[in-house]
Amino acid sequence: MCGIVAYIGKKQAFPIVLKGLKRLEYRGYDSAGIAVLNGGALNMFKRSGKVANLEAYAMEHNTEGHAAIGHTRWATHGLPNDINAHPHFSNDESIAVIHNGIIENYDTLKKELIAHGYTFQSETDTEVLVHLIDDIRRNDNLTIAEAVRRALHHVEGAYAIVVISKDNPNQLVAARKSSPLVVGIGNEGDFFLASDATPIIEYTKRVVYLNDEEIAVVDLNEGLRIFNIGNQEKTPFIQKLEMELEALEKGGYEHFMLKEIHEQPRSIQDCLRGRVNSNEGWVALRGLLDYETKMIQAKRLIIVACGTSWHAALVGEYLIEDLARINVEVEYASEFRYRNPIIDENDVVIAISQSGETADTLAALELAKSKGATILGVCNVVGSSISRVTDAGCYTHAGPEIGVASTKAFTAQVTVLTLMALSLAHKKGTISESAFHALLTEVEDVPAKVKEVLKTNSIIEKIAAEYAEAPNALYLGRGSSFPVALEGALKLKEISYIHAEGYPAAEMKHGPIALIDENMPVFVIATKGNSYEKVVSNIQEVKARKGKIIAIVTEGDVNVKEMADHVIEIPETHEYLVPLLATIPLQLLSYHIALMRGCNVDQPRNLAKSVTVE
Ligand code: AGP
């Protein structure tokens, strides 16, 4: 859950690594550090808090040097403080290491190293790595690269590491297992290493994504060499980055989250591009075409995910079961991986993940694979671990999502699942041609309708002002709007720190209704559809207990308007597509409420964008 960056080349390394850490700060932001090689000296700068703290501190020192490694942390072992911040030094300060991941057997290794006379400065698991590498290098008089390779044979857990040593000033050694790592091949014989491509894109588009248990040695004389942990050399698979730098900037918005909410007409359009055509009457997720028969013949589709992606999966369940009549089970990946699920070769397991790096989702996939199931993926980050371990999959094409609270990735995930349901239903013949064509047209109209919804931003801001101090909140929805209620509640929780819960509207009478009084805002998705009347009576039940109703209704609705304290109108659309429109006002509500409460909207406390440890 940390961010790592490194550079070696002719340019001054510190500013490049510092800027890279700021780009990766969404991965973890409780402490940061950089080690710079300047001639024969390896200088270390570490500070708790944001990268800006580190910058302020380092500016008072000499940060010159042509090679540097940097880290922004999300603490797992040891409090966020200057000592536990990375990089970590060997006892003779000749080697420094940065690490993203968890060393599961660090305690055993630590005891052995202490017995060998090594002293530890920090409480981190990572520090065992630098002493282990140092120990092996000394004992067997090895190169730093070979010492790293041998050391990793003793390590259990997840890691992406970069090692710098003053005895090898023209070289950096990196390795990964489970945690992501990409190498950037510079245009001046220089090299970049990072957790993802965001720190690299402004310097080069030529990258190599490291696979599990691969080691990269970047050397100013010998270039880039890749080995596996068995010491077999691999030919680097160089890819060209598609994303543009400006996609990483705020584009004039105050926060990445607000920018990404407003990007949804385009991100949904990009997600639909080349995958649906109502004129010619087809829908196709090319990445999954070869697996559609398997999905149709499967006993069931099991979708594994976490957080917001899990909510998208729930919307998918409603659509695929209703449209394609295929049994779908949605699983929390973190539970699925440990509950010894009954899985076999007739099962198809689909992972949904924005980052493609979520540890629990990755492990759930690997478990399913080990039991012979077909494993598919729906990811946003190209080249991510999940996209590489799956048999097939498709990208959501939402573009980089920097705000920790997922917004455009959610609607893009729901868009892919909607296309999946339509494609399977059409192939299976569980939808009439006329209904199919009508829905294709409605789907193509979604981006324009989202644009309309975004125009209600100022109304939403006014409503938000009334509830910014609410201690709790309830979200209600029926059918495929129930997961939208869950998503709305999660957005409010994660960025405004208000306790909120989403419920199927009918479930309220079985308990949560006890919470309702004049201080409880109740956000209800009450758009036209099969369960409209039912939702209206749920609203009356809340009103009877003086609860405050904020209802998302279909344009022109007068009925709910009379009962609700506030209404937010969204364009009429097919019931299956309401989740794509109704989610937007809930994203904006949580954004404005968090802003009014002075919260850090893009980097909320205790969270990080991609949860790469379990
Ligand atoms: C959502 O806003 C959160 N950032 C979090 O719940 C997230 O959805 C979850 O960690 C899953 O991440 P993934 O989609 O990258 O796997």
Side-chain angles (χ1 to χ4, degrees), residues 305-311 352-359 361 378 380-381 386 401 403-407 409 413 487 490-491 494-495 604 607-611:
C306 302
T308 285
S309 298
W310 186 78
H311 295 150
I352 302 185
S353 174
Q354 186 287 125
S355 61
E357 302 293 351
T358 300
T361 309
V378 175
N380 192 46
V381 176
I386 288 176
E401 189 174 66
V404 167
S406 185
T407 53
Q413 288 163 346
E487 179 56 12
L490 177 63
K491 288 283 102 57
E494 65 179 319
I495 64 170
L607 289 177
K609 183 66 185 170
S610 140
V611 183

Side-chain angles (χ1 to χ4, degrees), residues 246-302:
E246 62 277 355
L248 303 170
E249 308 298 350
K250 285 193 186 127
Y253 290 93
E254 201 187 339
H255 296 97
F256 280 111
M257 183 181 179
L258 188 63
K259 174 192 173 223
E260 288 152 8
I261 290 173
H262 283 272
E263 277 181 343
Q264 290 176 102
R266 183 202 48 74
S267 55
I268 293 172
Q269 189 62 60
D270 288 349
C271 186
L272 292 172
R273 200 181 308 288
R275 289 170 165 173
V276 60
N277 185 317
S278 62
N279 297 334
E280 296 164 13
W282 56 262
V283 58
L285 292 170
R286 286 182 180 67
L288 292 175
L289 277 181
D290 300 346
Y291 286 82
E292 280 200 334
T293 308
K294 182 119 192 158
M295 292 166 82
I296 288 170
Q297 290 166 348
K299 246 189 358 249
R300 61 199 166 157
L301 304 180
I302 300 168

Side-chain angles (χ1 to χ4, degrees), residues 335-356:
E335 285 300 312
F336 180 84
R337 62 180 293 189
Y338 289 120
R339 72 171 173 76
N340 191 16
I342 302 159
I343 303 285
D344 62 32
E345 62 287 349
N346 301 315
D347 288 318
V348 173
V349 175
I350 305 170
I352 302 185
S353 174
Q354 186 287 125
S355 61

Side-chain angles (χ1 to χ4, degrees), residues 3 7 11 33 36 88 97 128 141 160 195-196 245 269 279 423 425 462 489 518 612:
Y7 172 80
K11 302 189 187 78
V36 188
H88 291 286
V97 166
V128 295
N141 192 18
S195 298
D196 62 37
L245 180 58
Q269 189 62 60
N279 297 334
S423 182
K462 290 200 187 73
E518 61 281 2
T612 52

Side-chain angles (χ1 to χ4, degrees), residues 484-504:
V484 176
L486 290 173
E487 179 56 12
L490 177 63
K491 288 283 102 57
L492 192 70
K493 277 184 270 199
E494 65 179 319
I495 64 170
S496 77
Y497 320 142
I498 293 175
H499 173 243
E501 293 195 63
Y503 267 90

